Amino acid sequence: VNVVPLEQYLYGVVGKEMSPSWNSEALKAQAVAARTYAVSHKRYFNSRGFDMTDDTNSQIYAGMDGESPSVINAIDATNGEILTYKDKPIDAFFCASAGGWTENSENVWGNSVAYLRGVADASDKMPAYRWSVVTTPEKMAANLTAAGKSVGKIKTIAVSPLTRRPMAVSDRGVSGRVLTLTITGTKGQVRMTGNAFQAVFGLRSTLFDFYQGKGAVPDPDRTGKADRKQILTIKEGQPVTIFGLGWGHGLGMSQYGAYQMAQENAGTKGYYRKILAHYYTGTRLERLY
């Protein structure tokens, strides 16, 4: 157990959660989010004799090995600042990339939180924005069987097509993240949550869709329209592309989004405040000490 003052704890956190080479305003936003998270989760592991773990169960912490001048400067520049909602520290969740739109909390954790609302995420120029996985109907069926969700040969996948966000359909969140989908095969049918499907296929996020055919994978940001019907018929012998956006749960601040915002507004002093206000709806930036 490492006992350290809060600010020194952050010296070993921020550079592991965000690259020390990034724009200083993005680092400041991360410093405030990490400080707020630490304050709101203090005593979370009290029964085990400590407040935080050093991994993703809390925040990545590397001690002195994680320190760097840029990180220390960002933390010192925001010394004691936290985000509050109705005078209480918030749960300052963040993810690597929200993929164009963040999600409402109830669609991720099940309960509605006023400051964790879906908002536009300007991370489209970042490397973690788009991803795709190419598989086959046979491999998909094998993965489902291994997960105890066998349907035989896959015939159809039913889920609303991904379009321009925000979305307003029952099986996707406002960001387009899949809430539920139904897979039908020769031996039955299975209804899965987006989280369960993500886990079975090792996807970066639940913000995904399917494509089977020739040519380029659809781009919902560009066309804004549905490129397929609600029920996708799977053809045997043809590759299936699972394509998606973002990396992580999509709640709160998008780290790549924060970086892109900071880069596009380089030279604007104190811009980290606008980044935080954008991603954490209706919150206040206050100095705790």
Side-chain angles (χ1 to χ4, degrees):
V1 176
N2 191 0
V3 181
V4 290
L6 178 54
E7 297 301 306
Q8 290 183 25
Y9 161 73
L10 295 174
Y11 289 166
V13 168
V14 173
K16 305 304 293 183
E17 293 287 359
M18 183 176 280
S19 172
S21 66
W22 283 13
N23 184 288
S24 62
E25 295 302 310
L27 289 172
K28 290 175 187 176
Q30 182 66 59
V32 174
R35 184 183 294 110
T36 305
Y37 185 92
V39 170
S40 65
H41 285 255
K42 186 174 173 62
R43 293 184 291 276
Y44 196 79
F45 295 96
N46 196 47
S47 63
R48 295 169 62 184
F50 51 85
D51 295 303
M52 313 283 284
T53 64
D54 65 352
D55 55 19
T56 54
N57 287 316
S58 295
Q59 301 184 107
I60 303 295
Y61 172 70
M64 292 181 68
D65 290 339
E67 296 181 6
S68 65
S70 60
V71 165
I72 292 173
N73 289 338
I75 293 164
D76 290 350
T78 63
N79 183 68
E81 290 184 344
I82 64 169
L83 291 166
T84 64
Y85 185 82
K86 292 186 176 179
D87 299 322
K88 293 182 179 180
I90 71 167
D91 266 340
F93 290 108
F94 48 85
C95 63
S97 171
W101 208 275
T102 68
E103 189 51 75
N104 292 339
S105 62
E106 60 268 26
N107 293 329
V108 179
W109 303 137
N111 59 311
S112 179
V113 179
Y115 51 80
L116 295 176
R117 300 291 87 198
V119 297
D121 167 50
S123 60
D124 58 298
K125 298 176 184 176
M126 297 291 102
Y129 188 71
R130 299 183 190 280
W131 54 265
S132 63
V133 174
V134 180
T135 184
T136 65
E138 293 74 25
K139 288 181 180 178
M140 289 183 70
N143 280 23
L144 290 171
T145 298
K149 300 179 183 296
S150 178
V151 295
K153 291 183 179 179
I154 297 175
K155 293 297 184 181
T156 63
I157 300 175
V159 63
S160 295
L162 181 61
T163 59
R164 184 174 292 137
R165 282 73 53 77
M167 292 187 68
V169 292
S170 61
D171 56 1
R172 289 183 182 270
V174 65
S175 68
R177 284 169 171 77
V178 174
L179 302 180
T180 59
L181 57 81
T182 301
I183 302 174
T184 301
T186 54
K187 295 182 179 179
Q189 185 180 86
V190 63
R191 189 170 185 263
M192 301 176 68
T193 65
N195 286 328
F197 189 90
Q198 177 189 9
V200 169
F201 292 93
L203 307 179
R204 287 186 175 184
S205 73
T206 58
L207 183 44
F208 62 83
D209 204 352
F210 303 91
Y211 175 71
Q212 191 177 35
K214 297 180 180 180
V217 171
D219 182 354
D221 290 335
R222 182 178 58 82
T223 64
K225 300 177 182 178
D227 290 278
R228 61 172 181 80
K229 296 180 180 179
Q230 171 84 15
I231 298 177
L232 175 66
T233 299
I234 300 298
K235 301 174 183 176
E236 288 188 56
Q238 288 190 17
V240 177
T241 299
I242 307 172
F243 66 95
L245 303 164
W247 196 340
H249 50 64
L251 278 187
M253 186 177 73
S254 164
Q255 292 168 310
Y256 272 112
Y259 176 61
Q260 184 169 315
M261 288 177 70
Q263 286 292 89
E264 292 176 350
N265 292 273
T268 303
K269 189 176 180 180
Y271 191 75
Y272 74 97
R273 296 183 179 91
K274 291 190 176 180
I275 294 173
L276 294 168
H278 174 72
Y279 284 110
Y280 301 107
T281 306
T283 59
R284 293 180 59 187
L285 184 63
E286 298 189 47
R287 189 173 293 279
L288 185 63
Y289 46 81

